[in-house]
Amino acid sequence: MAHKITLIPGDGIGPEVTQATVRILEATGVKFEWETFMAGAEAFEKYHEYIPKELTESIERTHVGLKGPVTTPIGGGFASINVALRQKFELYANFRPIRNLPHIPTRYPDVDLIIVRENTESLYSGLEHEVVPGVVESLKIITEKASTRIARFAFEYARKNNRKKIHAIHKANIMKLSDGLFLRCARAVAKDYPEITYGEHIVDNTCMQLVMNPYQYDMLVMENLYGDIISDLCAAFVGGLGFVPSANLGDHCAIFEAVHGSAPDIAGKNLANPTAILRSSLLMLRHLGEYDAALKIRNALENVYRTRDKLTRDVGGKAGTSEFADFIIEAMESGSGAQATESSHA
Ligand code: NAI
C-alpha cells in the first residue's frame, strides 16, 4: 500500500530540493502518494490564505508532511508558516540528530548527538505587548503538561534506541519558577528510566561545554528558545544547517523539514544542496516503518559524499541539484555504500 504524504515544496530552492528528494525516495521502491500544496506568499496569491484549508485538511488525512523551506518576510507580513503548522498540529517535539558526513570539513569528527526541543511554548507563545511606550513585555510560558510530555518523548526515544544519557538544559538558577518547573518535570520522568543517566546543565555553560567537547553529551532536552539556539550551534559541528535533518512530531501528525531557508540567491539555478531535506526524509521513512529504504538512502548518501566531484557546489563539488540526486540513485542501484552500519537515525 502506498504511503500518503502531504508534500509542501515551499518556495525559493524548496521545489528543487523537494523534487530531488521525491525522486530518490521513489527510487527505493517504496510506494508514495503525494498530496502537493503551496504555503506562504505563493498560496496567498492563489487562495488568499497563507496556509490553505486544503493543506491542513490533507495533513489531517495523511498525518505526515514533508516540507521545503518557505520564505518569511522580515518585520511584517505573515507569521512563520513553520511556527503556525507546529502549533496547529501540536507538533510538540522538534527532533534533530547531529551526525557528520564524509568530506564535510568540521572541527569534530564522529559527532553523534540528539537535540530534543519543546516546540509549542516558552517565549514562542507569541504573547507580547507594549506595557507603556518604550516598554514591551514577552511572556515565557512553561507548563507541567508540555514539560512532562517533551521529557517523556526524549526518554522514550532513548530507551527504544539504546541511547545512554540525557541532559536537561535550563536556566533555573535565574528563572526559578519557569525553568524550575521544567526541571522538576524532567526529574520526575527520569525516575521511570533508571537505565538512562540523567544530568542537568545550565544553558550558557552548555554552549561552552559543547564547543569544548561535544562528545560529553548524548541527548539534550530543553524548552523552545534554548532548543532553537543550541540546535543551530550543534548543526555547526557537522557543517551547518545544510546538513541537519529535522522532524516536528506530535501524537497524531509529523512534519519533516529542512532547517535551512529558501535561499532566494540561488533559487531556480539547479545549485541547491538537497542533503538536509533528504536526511529529514530518512527520519520520515523511519517514522513510516520503512527502515530498509532509510538505510539504503543513508548508505548511498554517505557513499556519494566520499566522492567530492559528485557533491553540489556549496560543498566544493560540481554537481547540480538534479545530478546529485542522480548520483544517489545510482549508488542505491549499484548497492554501493553498504559499508555504513544501521543506526537509529539519519
Ligand atoms: P537561507 O538558509 O535561505 O540562506 C543562507 C545562505 O545559505 C544563502 O547563501 C544560501 O544560498 C545558502 N543555502 C541555504 N540553503 C542551501 C542549500 N540547500 N544549498 C546550498 N546553499 C544553501 O537563509 P536566509 O537567507 O536567512 O533566509 C531566506 C528565507 O528563508 C527567509 O525568508 C527566511 O525567513 C526563510 N527561512 C525559512 C525556513 C523554513 O522554511 N524552514 C528556515 C529559515 C529561513
Side-chain angles (χ1 to χ4, degrees):
M1 212 179 62
H3 296 287
K4 285 195 167 80
I5 311 285
T6 303
L7 183 68
I8 309 163
D11 53 49
I13 58 169
E16 294 164 79
V17 293
T18 45
Q19 206 215 346
T21 300
V22 164
R23 275 211 297 128
I24 295 165
L25 287 170
E26 290 189 336
T28 61
V30 174
K31 297 275 174 275
F32 297 96
E33 227 174 84
W34 304 100
E35 298 189 5
T36 306
F37 294 94
M38 301 171 176
E42 213 184 4
F44 192 79
E45 265 180 38
K46 195 163 170 204
Y47 301 103
H48 303 290
E49 282 176 303
Y50 293 110
I51 302 182
K53 191 159 67 66
E54 289 80 355
L55 164 54
T56 51
E57 285 171 354
S58 169
I59 296 175
E60 275 157 14
R61 216 172 26 246
T62 63
H63 306 287
V64 182
L66 181 62
K67 183 186 153 295
V70 174
T71 303
T72 312
I74 294 170
F78 59 91
S80 160
I81 297 290
N82 303 322
V83 175
L85 286 173
R86 285 171 200 168
Q87 284 171 353
K88 165 116 191 112
F89 292 105
E90 235 186 315
L91 305 175
Y92 60 84
N94 181 254
F95 177 82
R96 282 205 212 173
I98 310 282
R99 283 184 71 239
N100 298 83
L101 275 167
H103 262 148
I104 301 301
T106 59
R107 280 179 197 278
Y108 301 99
D110 305 321
V111 173
D112 183 5
L113 254 178
I114 291 181
I115 316 294
V116 176
R117 161 186 172 192
E118 204 291 322
N119 235 354
T120 60
E121 53 182 33
S122 173
L123 281 162
Y124 289 60
S125 306
L127 297 171
E128 286 193 313
H129 66 267
E130 188 173 58
V131 182
V132 290
V135 181
V136 294
E137 187 174 51
S138 289
L139 299 182
K140 168 163 167 158
I141 307 295
I142 296 288
T143 64
E144 186 177 335
K145 179 183 166 207
S147 304
T148 302
R149 185 170 65 175
I150 198 68
R152 181 77 58 196
F153 174 93
F155 277 93
E156 273 300 304
Y157 181 88
R159 176 171 277 171
K160 286 189 190 127
N161 293 278
N162 206 23
R163 307 292 299 206
K164 304 285 180 234
K165 211 166 37 173
I166 294 185
H167 279 84
I169 308 306
H170 67 95
K171 190 76 186 172
N173 51 331
I174 305 295
M175 280 166 274
K176 295 181 195 296
L177 281 183
S178 53
D179 283 16
L181 173 60
F182 183 84
L183 278 189
R184 278 206 307 282
C185 297
R187 280 175 203 157
V189 171
K191 287 203 175 88
D192 295 337
Y193 301 82
E195 77 279 19
I196 296 159
T197 306
Y198 172 70
E200 294 170 355
H201 276 176
I202 294 177
V203 61
D204 38 354
N205 177 36
T206 307
C207 293
M208 182 187 73
Q209 295 292 341
L210 275 164
V211 173
M212 287 175 68
N213 175 17
Y215 307 111
Q216 66 185 293
Y217 295 111
D218 185 16
M219 284 183 69
L220 306 179
V221 61
M222 63 206 90
E223 56 90 287
N224 212 338
L225 176 66
Y226 309 151
D228 195 1
I229 297 166
I230 287 195
S231 55
D232 278 17
L233 186 155
C234 290
F237 293 144
V238 295
L241 294 183
F243 304 97
V244 284
S246 170
N248 295 296
L249 306 161
D251 288 333
H252 307 293
C253 297
I255 298 183
F256 301 84
E257 62 177 350
V259 288
H260 58 71
S262 56
D265 52 332
I266 56 166
K269 298 180 179 158
N270 195 33
L271 289 175
N273 184 346
T275 299
I277 189 159
L278 180 62
R279 281 182 129 185
S280 305
S281 80
L282 302 191
L283 299 180
M284 180 183 85
L285 284 174
R286 297 188 63 82
H287 177 80
L288 297 170
E290 298 287 358
Y291 301 100
D292 289 349
L295 186 60
K296 206 163 152 184
I297 298 180
R298 203 193 86 174
N299 288 343
L301 177 72
E302 294 196 355
N303 190 49
V304 166
Y305 262 89
R306 289 193 179 91
T307 315
R308 190 174 291 280
D309 276 0
K310 293 183 176 173
L311 304 183
T312 47
R313 285 166 204 266
D314 56 310
V315 280
K318 294 184 180 146
T321 313
S322 49
E323 291 76 35
F324 177 76
D326 293 339
F327 287 132
I328 301 222
I329 293 168
E330 268 169 34
M332 280 198 300
E333 284 167 357
S334 69
S336 56
Q339 59 271 44
T341 51
E342 169 62 299
S343 152
S344 54
H345 51 266

